[in-house]
Amino acid sequence: MTNTTSQDRQHGEEQTFEPSAEFAAQANATAALYDEAAADRLGFWAEQARELISWDTDFTDTLDWSDPPFARWFVGGKLNVAYNCVDRHVEAGHGDRVAIHFEGEPGDTRTITYADLQREVSRAANALAALGVVQGDRVAIYLPMIPEAVISMLACARLGAAHSVVFGGFSSDALRSRILDVQAKVVITADGGYRRGKPSALKPAVDEALAGGDTPVEKVLVVERTGEDVAFDAERDLHWAEALAAQPDTHEYESFDSENPLFVLYTSGTTGKPKGILHTSGGYITQNAFAMRTVFDIKPETDVFWCTADVGWVTGHSYVAYGPLAAGATQVMYEGTPDTPHRGRWWEIVAKHGVTILYAAPTAIRTAMKWGDEIPAEHDLSSLRLLGSVGEPINPEAWMWYRRVIGGDRCPIVDTWWQTETGAHMIAPLPGVIATKPGSSQRALPGISVAVVDDTGEPVERNVAGYLVITEPWPAMLRGIYGDPERFKDTYWSRFENMYFAGDGARYDDDGDIWFLGRVDDVMNVSGHRLSTAEIESALVSHEAVAEAAVVGAQDETSGQAVVAFVILRGGEEQTEGTVEELRAHVGREIGPIAKPKRVHIVEELPKTRSGKIMRRLLKDVADNRLVGDATTLADSSVMDVISASVAGEK
Ligand code: 6R9
């Protein structure tokens, strides 16, 4: 198995950081949580569900696992997720508390209290209901990072309709395939958003995705954000502001079954077709409320929480939309990039709002580290008290920098391992309880059962690389792949018996702490975003000039991995000066700019086994500038010499 990161992760391993007495004294989490959960796991989760969530009808059973891997949590319970995220805080007298401090990239701001949010979500729910959206329907959301994204998600939840948020950086093709797969009735979009100092249009991609009128989409709600001219279909399109203004700002909610679908979020798998990960209501919101309380140590009265992820990814679902609001917290939402208009933008925002808890990806931390200590030093970061990391393994060097320069050596760091599929944090140190360790996510949270196993499913010894598995069902677990139960079983439950296969390599260290070693499948992790090699390969071969393509994730100092493509042109196609750029642009159009290969190598042949499988491992060696490994299983072992020579010649 490949193990790309363990070497630079060895040093610093001995070092741990005890929580300060001050932090420990006020921490929400206690060591007793581990014991309680170990003694009675289901009883523990039932208690969390009843304590953290308001149910309109109490549940009768905590878990139904009679038909694995299809779980039902909090059976018989009824609730409304939007009520839990908004109304109950207003009812408890916190209507004036700020829910969202919005910072637009151009510098515009909005302050939205819980009472404001209740009115906006109610209007949006009424507007969607007027368009015929009912429980069980699907609504696609294709928006920039603006409050309307969260409002739309909550409005769907309020009606019992499932949303499917498509990241604004995805192309019209990607949007279209998701709309078709999930059979969306309504799309919510915007004219555009601001990105790197300029308006960046979104609506044209929706028009393209829906052109031909062969999708189930009946209506498109368009938020005005940039004010740029966009085409408007009088039959199909409505202005968000007008549609909401026409509705009352109150809405009587219904309660839905604990297993009512909440959302479908697409993520890259090992094959070309993205998987629609299905999440439901009661278990998802319970585990996220629990994570807010224990992992983020949230104190809703005083904290200012900021998760920098886009709502197009699961981190934005759980820790922008649902988690912080279920907790009744105040959060910051920022539209743009960290370096617009200057490289201190994030730190300026932290200082301005007195952010106390910051949650970001290692790639952003490494980038800030590269830009230099002087930039954060210009801003007052003393409000910070807890830092989080998510999306990929964080190397100890970046961890130490984060702790020292951003956290002033006083903030615990929670390195949270989880996935779109797990719905909520799974492995992370509990702050105030566990001494943190640079580079390690350490241990499973209370109530979560994981193991690192070998090929046969047996737990590995310490310091031996294996596969991370989850050995017991958990409340926020995915309930399936939308419309494809067989693929759900195959992908996650067939590798090992009765265990969920996460697709990550891991090992235990001498203390029994878990270290992640990256993906063990053909999924790449670029800047914390999951991309599939197969999906990019199929985008490349859809170009008329391409005969064959192989894609690998090469090591990259900043983004963790970078997409590197090896392409064989069709007979008769000559490589010209523009070929590489054209192929990169083509992938951008097919999938989205984030999937564009950093490098494209035009080659004569690809390394294949006798059974015709491309040996990506060898291409990865070339991409990483390493000595090419064992090529003896190749049908033609001279192929690698030719490829290495031609890649070297390009440099
Ligand atoms: C939340 C999210 C999931 C994959 C996962 C793993 C990697 C995420 C990590 C981490 C090491 C961490 N990953 N967090 N690896 N340490 N703290 O990122 O979801 O986009 O579905 O990606 O990301 O490889 O399997 P998602």
Side-chain angles (χ1 to χ4, degrees), residues 145 288 291-292 295-296 298 304-310 313-321 323-324 331-332 334 346-347 350 355-365 384-392 394 402 406 411-420 422-429 441 445:
M145 271 300 277
N288 276 305
M292 288 304 301
V295 180
F296 287 136
I298 196 86
V304 179
F305 180 81
W306 185 17
C307 164
T308 61
D310 191 284
W313 309 102
V314 75
T315 305
H317 279 61
S318 299
Y319 302 109
V320 177
Q331 69 175 318
V332 168
Y334 172 54
W346 272 20
W347 318 122
V350 166
V355 170
T356 57
I357 305 169
L358 178 69
Y359 191 37
T363 182
I365 298 159
L384 289 169
R385 66 178 194 92
L386 177 65
L387 303 174
S389 173
V390 61
E392 54 175 316
I394 178 163
Y402 197 25
I406 305 305
C411 306
I413 297 181
V414 287
D415 174 9
T416 60
W417 180 91
W418 59 294
Q419 308 178 297
T420 305
T422 70
H425 295 163
M426 300 295 279
I427 301 177
S441 302
L445 292 172

Side-chain angles (χ1 to χ4, degrees), residues 2 17 74 91 204 207-208 216 251 280 314 358 377 400-401 534 551 599 637:
T2 52
F17 293 90
F74 309 124
E91 286 171 14
D207 294 333
E208 239 177 278
H251 174 266
T280 61
V314 75
L358 178 69
M400 291 298 292
W401 185 87
V551 166
R599 298 199 299 274
S637 60

Side-chain angles (χ1 to χ4, degrees), residues 93-430:
H94 307 312
D96 292 340
R97 184 184 294 163
V98 174
I100 301 175
H101 286 294
F102 172 69
E103 289 284 326
E105 200 192 69
D108 57 318
T109 61
R110 280 162 74 183
T111 308
I112 301 171
T113 65
Y114 274 94
D116 295 333
L117 193 60
Q118 184 181 35
R119 286 187 286 267
E120 286 298 293
V121 172
S122 297
R123 282 189 197 278
N126 285 323
L128 287 174
L131 298 180
V133 173
V134 295
Q135 180 200 0
D137 282 346
R138 276 83 52 210
V139 172
I141 299 176
Y142 187 63
L143 284 171
M145 271 300 277
I146 55 176
E148 283 77 6
V150 171
I151 293 166
S152 301
M153 292 162 85
L154 292 170
C156 292
R158 200 168 178 102
L159 297 173
H163 54 72
S164 188
V165 179
V166 180
F167 174 55
F170 278 131
S171 67
S172 61
D173 279 352
L175 174 63
R176 179 182 163 82
S177 70
R178 286 156 173 78
I179 286 172
L180 287 173
D181 193 72
V182 84
Q183 292 283 298
K185 197 173 191 176
V186 169
V187 177
I188 305 177
T189 188
D191 46 7
Y194 291 95
R195 200 91 198 134
R196 300 191 192 285
K198 300 191 293 278
S200 160
L202 280 174
K203 175 69 167 39
V206 177
D207 294 333
E208 239 177 278
L210 304 182
D214 55 348
T215 73
V217 172
E218 292 164 15
K219 294 287 175 193
V220 177
L221 271 169
V222 187
V223 177
E224 188 181 313
R225 168 69 185 137
T226 61
E228 294 213 303
D229 260 352
V230 289
F232 225 77
D233 176 335
E235 298 271 293
R236 190 197 65 192
D237 302 346
L238 292 104
H239 289 286
W240 165 275
E242 283 171 21
L244 264 67
Q247 296 295 333
D249 64 7
T250 56
H251 174 266
E252 197 125 341
Y253 77 88
E254 254 180 84
S255 17
F256 301 107
D257 192 89
S258 178
E259 286 299 332
N260 192 55
L262 185 62
F263 65 84
V264 176
L265 181 61
Y266 287 82
T267 188
S268 298
T270 46
T271 65
K273 191 175 179 270
K275 299 173 288 200
I277 304 300
L278 172 67
H279 282 286
T280 61
S281 306
Y284 174 83
I285 201 69
T286 296
Q287 199 179 323
N288 276 305
F290 173 73
M292 288 304 301
R293 175 180 281 190
T294 56
V295 180
F296 287 136
D297 192 47
I298 196 86
K299 309 284 192 300
E301 307 77 26
T302 47
D303 274 318
V304 179
F305 180 81
W306 185 17
C307 164
T308 61
D310 191 284
V311 287
W313 309 102
V314 75
T315 305
H317 279 61
S318 299
Y319 302 109
V320 177
Y322 291 108
L325 298 176
T330 296
Q331 69 175 318
V332 168
M333 181 177 194
Y334 172 54
E335 179 184 28
T337 49
D339 54 349
T340 308
H342 58 78
R343 289 177 167 181
R345 186 72 192 267
W346 272 20
W347 318 122
E348 187 178 82
I349 292 174
V350 166
K352 174 176 173 189
H353 292 291
V355 170
T356 57
I357 305 169
L358 178 69
Y359 191 37
T363 182
I365 298 159
R366 288 192 295 265
T367 303
M369 189 166 124
K370 202 168 65 187
W371 289 342
D373 298 13
E374 326 71 74
I375 296 175
E378 283 165 19
H379 302 273
D380 178 6
L381 305 182
S382 62
S383 56
L384 289 169
R385 66 178 194 92
L386 177 65
L387 303 174
S389 173
V390 61
E392 54 175 316
I394 178 163
N395 48 310
E397 195 193 353
W399 195 103
M400 291 298 292
W401 185 87
Y402 197 25
R403 182 181 157 89
R404 180 174 57 82
V405 179
I406 305 305
D409 271 328
R410 81 188 163 267
C411 306
I413 297 181
V414 287
D415 174 9
T416 60
W417 180 91
W418 59 294
Q419 308 178 297
T420 305
E421 292 87 342
T422 70
H425 295 163
M426 300 295 279
I427 301 177
L430 282 182

Side-chain angles (χ1 to χ4, degrees), residues 10 32 68 153-154 188 217 238 306 315 372 385 442 456 488 501 556 563 589 604 606:
Q10 302 284 349
M153 292 162 85
L154 292 170
I188 305 177
V217 172
L238 292 104
W306 185 17
T315 305
R385 66 178 194 92
Q442 299 186 282
T456 67
F488 173 52
F501 173 60
D556 189 275
V563 179
R589 284 191 297 272
E604 296 291 322
L606 291 171

